[in-house]
Amino acid sequence: MSETGLFSRVHFGGDYNPEQWDSSVWREDARVMRDASVDMATVGVFSWAAVERVEGVFDFAWLDEALALLHEASVRVDLATGTASPPNWACAAYPDILPVDASGVPYRPGSRQHFSPSSESYRRLAAAFVRKLVERYRDHPAVALWHVNNEYACHVPYDYSDAAARRFRQWLRARYGDLDVVNALWNTAFWSQRYASFDEIIPPRRTPYSHNPGLLLDFRRFTSDVTLELFIMERDIIRGAGATQPVTTNFMDAYPALDYWRWAREVDIVSNDNYSDPRDPDAARHAAFGRDLMRSLKPARPWILMEQAANTVSWRPNNARKSPGEMSAWSEQAVARGAGAILFFQWRQSVAGSEKFHSAMLPHAGPDTATFREISAYGARCAARTPVATGPAEVALLIDWENWWALNQPDHPAALDYERILRDWYEATHRAHVQLDFAHPSHDLSAYQLVIAPALYLLDERASANIARFVANGGVLATTSFTDVVDQHDRFRPGGFARGLGVVFGAAPIDFWGVADADAAPILQQGECIGRARGLREELRLDGAVVTAAFDDGAPAIVEHGFGDGSSIHVAAQLDRSAIAVVLDRALALAGVRPVLPALPEQVEAIRTASGVTLINQSAAAVEVAVADERITIEPYRWREFVERFPSADDQPRAAPLDARTTR
Ligand code: GLA
């Protein structure tokens, strides 16, 4: 894989859809792109029907001309394979292309993303199209990157078609081999669900009542895998045809249907789309979550912010504008987190079609607009810099898609929203100006001082041993209720709960129940209410842990315990924002982790980079900050970079643990 000069600067640009325009507009595009310092364009995301007019009949002339123009204008092309929106001729001739919903109703053409990942016809036609495209453009001097499909699983995350049923059975055979194993693991003895043949197994279509949890979990795994097969199919066609440019596909932050840890292994470059809502007061924190997740998926390599909006989107019921400077400040937080390209949907605003009110880099009203001026100014900044490496983090927040799939199933003591819980903990660390990485429970955690693992309900033995080892070797672990409850098959382990981590917690839950927000129990620490329980409480049986906070009924709410050279804090509930802040504070003190810089206002974002610190004012008011004895004003939505080396957190003393230690 050659990187064709990629990341020689921070690239700047966006989706470019020349097929929506008369070719006379393309020259103007190339000229105005130069004014905006655009040097990268994603071309062809929805061009399948414009190129393959009917099956086997290709019109590449317009694409040849558009790519030549872009090349002339020194714009690198991220060439998309266009397979996210199959042409009408394909759907008419091969209706098995269409995905099917849980009630058995097919989705129809007329929008986009109407393909079943399991459909043989879709795979055959997509493969043939990609082959033609790559054979034509593999050596094109403008093509710097291949962009497979688009936002896989976005509108149709789950397909329940007959084709999906057939592939699901194959997937189960490959995973378990024997039907008796499937029956045993899914406990099909319950409700007379026993399968006498693999052919009886169907996707979790509409049923009178709850599905078997084992089947649901495996169907989620299958869906992520079968969708990934499509990416791999196209990527291997690209490589097989001799193309040497890297291959990507655009992710969507923490998207529930696809296990991006597994996906990240297959892409050459991670890329991401982010559309935080400017109306949300925590929008920049939401965006930061996605950016930290992306850089964590493939550490130490530049990633690409593939799409964001220059200003408004068009798909919320009410689409707020970005404040002046906000687009730049959100872009800057991506650059400080290692993004090597800042791209947008889309270059020129469409004149018709579903997204005609979506903002673009070049608005319909032309370059004499605030949006274009801000775009050009930020483009010039990107042109003048190279990608930065993000500095090391001492805190890891664990995210595991398999846990997500198991946790978000029905029939639990309370419905917990894993993404919401992760975001609450992420945002608390962001508010505390502490840098974090995302990690998987089975990753090497030895570089971290603190690991936060909220609601890690499904935990296999390898991962729980890994986490226990991290604590035994001196790490601090912070967990919340409903952690280490089931194995990888969503089954209780014999002998109770927290069978792997109970020894680390010095306590184990013996019962779980739901708490409604209206009667959420206060959590009391030395008589002070530090916040409230949320969602799901558990009753703990103590085995060595020290109780540091109790619910108002006197039951243990927060326990601390030493294990080996490290310690754990376990909370017997999910928490509101104020309780999270208190628990986090204690965990950071135990781990000896301190903020990137002390005493920063909440609205200032702090990122440690390899060369110093970037501070971004993510608010509409100027702020004053103290940096190394100097008081500095940062204007609204502006940033400051400090290249000095600040003291690292290594020399930070740790708070004393509370109890006698359990030795390994
Ligand atoms: C997604 C798609 C784009 C466009 C934008 C609009 O990210 O990939 O094609 O529809 O949303 O916000």
Side-chain angles (χ1 to χ4, degrees):
M1 175 194 75
S2 101
E3 298 212 344
T4 52
L6 268 185
F7 308 128
S8 52
R9 58 166 266 197
V10 174
H11 303 300
F12 190 70
D15 277 31
Y16 179 45
N17 299 298
E19 69 272 33
Q20 290 183 23
W21 304 92
D22 188 85
S23 59
S24 59
V25 180
W26 304 353
R27 290 205 171 268
E28 187 192 325
D29 282 327
R31 186 179 54 72
V32 187
M33 280 181 188
R34 200 167 294 142
D35 294 344
S37 305
V38 165
D39 76 330
M40 184 173 269
T42 301
V43 179
V45 173
F46 295 109
S47 301
W48 190 350
V51 171
E52 192 171 5
R53 317 294 288 202
V54 291
E55 188 172 356
V57 178
F58 298 87
D59 173 10
F60 282 111
W62 68 269
L63 191 50
D64 289 350
E65 193 184 333
L67 294 192
L69 269 174
L70 290 169
H71 185 54
E72 218 177 282
S74 305
V75 175
R76 287 182 171 79
V77 172
D78 165 32
L79 189 57
T81 60
T83 49
S85 202
N88 286 325
W89 58 255
C91 303
Y94 309 101
D96 69 289
I97 285 178
L98 301 172
V100 173
D101 74 11
S103 302
V105 179
Y107 292 86
R108 305 293 175 182
S111 180
R112 64 178 181 185
Q113 225 116 21
H114 45 279
F115 62 89
S116 154
S118 297
S119 158
E120 291 295 343
S121 303
Y122 172 74
R123 288 180 177 215
R124 180 174 55 76
L125 293 171
F129 181 67
V130 174
R131 210 165 281 125
K132 273 275 181 210
L133 191 77
V134 182
E135 278 163 8
R136 192 167 190 95
Y137 296 116
R138 68 187 157 207
D139 299 320
H140 196 290
V143 176
L145 181 66
W146 293 94
H147 179 108
V148 168
N149 202 280
N150 192 60
E151 294 188 337
Y152 271 115
C154 175
H155 304 299
V156 186
Y158 300 107
D159 166 39
Y160 301 84
S161 64
D162 290 342
R166 283 191 293 275
R167 280 190 192 267
F168 184 37
R169 289 173 202 136
Q170 286 165 11
W171 183 93
L172 289 167
R173 273 183 205 278
R175 187 177 176 95
Y176 298 117
D178 193 325
L179 191 60
D180 289 345
V181 176
V182 178
N183 275 313
L185 290 176
W186 292 359
N187 194 21
T188 56
F190 186 76
W191 286 352
S192 184
Q193 292 175 346
R194 184 177 174 278
Y195 295 101
S197 149
F198 269 107
D199 293 340
E200 294 164 4
I201 300 179
I202 54 172
R205 294 174 179 153
R206 190 162 169 228
T207 48
Y209 188 44
S210 307
H211 284 282
N212 179 297
L215 179 142
L216 271 184
L217 175 59
D218 275 335
F219 188 69
R220 299 271 179 277
R221 289 183 172 125
F222 158 77
T223 294
S224 180
D225 285 359
V226 80
T227 314
L228 182 55
E229 273 178 24
L230 294 185
F231 171 79
I232 291 172
M233 174 187 86
E234 291 198 22
R235 182 202 62 195
D236 290 352
I237 290 170
I238 293 168
R239 290 189 182 155
T244 55
Q245 302 90 342
V247 183
T248 189
T249 185
N250 42 348
F251 296 164
M252 296 169 283
D253 284 358
Y255 187 69
L258 305 181
D259 180 349
Y260 284 152
W261 289 122
R262 295 186 62 143
W263 279 67
R265 284 187 228 143
E266 305 295 340
V267 300
D268 295 323
I269 295 172
V270 166
S271 64
N272 190 45
D273 298 350
N274 175 270
Y275 290 96
S276 291
D277 185 353
R279 184 169 282 128
D280 180 341
D282 276 323
R285 272 185 247 286
H286 293 332
F289 175 99
R291 312 209 188 309
D292 274 325
L293 178 60
M294 290 306 129
R295 70 172 181 77
S296 301
L297 289 175
K298 241 182 177 19
R301 301 211 56 182
W303 57 278
I304 291 178
L305 180 58
M306 184 62 81
E307 290 184 26
Q308 61 174 339
N311 201 329
T312 59
V313 298
S314 55
W315 39 262
R316 294 197 170 95
N318 191 303
N319 300 290
R321 284 178 97 168
K322 287 182 176 166
S323 300
E326 202 163 17
M327 176 282 289
S328 306
W330 293 6
S331 301
E332 194 61 23
Q333 64 173 189
V335 172
R337 288 183 173 81
I342 300 295
L343 309 177
F344 296 79
F345 174 83
Q346 60 180 331
W347 162 249
R348 181 185 278 273
Q349 188 170 358
S350 299
V351 290
S354 297
E355 293 179 331
K356 61 183 176 299
F357 283 106
H358 198 291
S359 64
M361 301 169 80
L362 178 58
H364 186 62
D368 186 16
T369 46
T371 298
F372 186 77
R373 279 190 285 276
E374 189 176 334
I375 283 285
S376 309
Y378 198 76
R381 173 167 170 74
C382 290
R385 64 200 302 205
T386 49
V388 298
T390 308
E394 294 168 313
V395 180
L397 178 60
L398 302 190
I399 174 171
D400 177 7
W401 267 263
E402 302 205 7
N403 176 57
W404 195 345
W405 300 329
L407 187 71
N408 277 16
Q409 292 206 10
D411 306 320
H412 283 176
L416 294 184
D417 179 343
Y418 187 50
E419 184 179 357
R420 183 65 263 153
I421 292 168
L422 289 176
R423 285 187 180 275
D424 284 349
W425 282 89
Y426 176 85
E427 287 170 18
T429 56
H430 190 272
R431 240 178 240 112
H433 305 106
V434 167
Q435 187 141 324
L436 68 65
D437 290 344
F438 286 90
H440 184 272
S442 65
H443 284 172
D444 177 3
L445 302 171
S446 57
Y448 301 108
Q449 310 298 321
L450 169 63
V451 166
I452 305 171
L456 198 52
Y457 161 79
L458 175 149
L459 191 61
D460 69 24
E461 273 171 27
R462 203 166 65 91
S464 82
N466 184 48
I467 294 170
R469 194 176 322 114
F470 160 76
V471 181
N473 290 339
V476 175
L477 174 70
T479 52
T480 58
S481 63
F482 227 38
T483 289
D484 191 13
V485 178
V486 295
D487 68 10
Q488 66 270 37
H489 306 293
D490 200 9
R491 298 168 62 93
F492 295 154
R493 291 195 177 83
F497 306 109
R499 301 300 292 155
L501 294 182
V503 58
V504 178
F505 300 160
I510 55 173
D511 198 11
F512 306 102
W513 66 98
V515 281
D517 281 358
D519 44 42
I523 299 174
L524 305 168
Q525 203 160 44
Q526 287 149 10
E528 290 260 316
C529 175
I530 59 160
R532 288 178 178 269
R534 286 263 176 270
L536 191 151
R537 260 185 70 176
E538 58 192 24
E539 180 183 348
L540 292 179
R541 180 182 285 148
L542 301 181
D543 185 14
V546 172
V547 178
T548 62
F551 297 107
D552 57 347
D553 59 9
I558 305 176
V559 295
E560 278 187 29
H561 184 243
F563 179 72
D565 295 337
S567 47
S568 91
I569 305 180
H570 180 71
V571 187
Q574 300 304 318
L575 299 176
D576 68 4
R577 202 197 255 197
S578 71
I580 288 177
V582 173
V583 174
L584 179 67
D585 205 44
R586 172 69 182 159
L588 292 169
L590 274 175
V593 175
R594 61 184 178 183
V596 173
L597 281 182
L600 292 172
E602 235 191 40
Q603 62 273 40
V604 170
E605 176 169 22
I607 305 119
R608 186 180 294 131
T609 64
S611 55
V613 168
T614 300
L615 299 182
I616 309 174
N617 177 4
Q618 294 287 3
S619 81
V623 286
E624 267 218 343
V625 295
V627 178
D629 300 332
E630 226 192 301
R631 293 209 70 77
I632 289 161
T633 302
I634 311 181
E635 298 301 326
Y637 298 114
R638 303 303 295 170
W639 51 87
R640 294 289 298 268
E641 287 165 295
F642 302 94
V643 288
E644 301 97 303
R645 274 242 151 265
F646 291 95
S648 94
D650 294 345
D651 52 2
Q652 173 78 351
R654 290 178 161 220
L658 283 173
D659 64 332
R661 340 241 348 125
T662 300
T663 42
R664 281 177 271 168

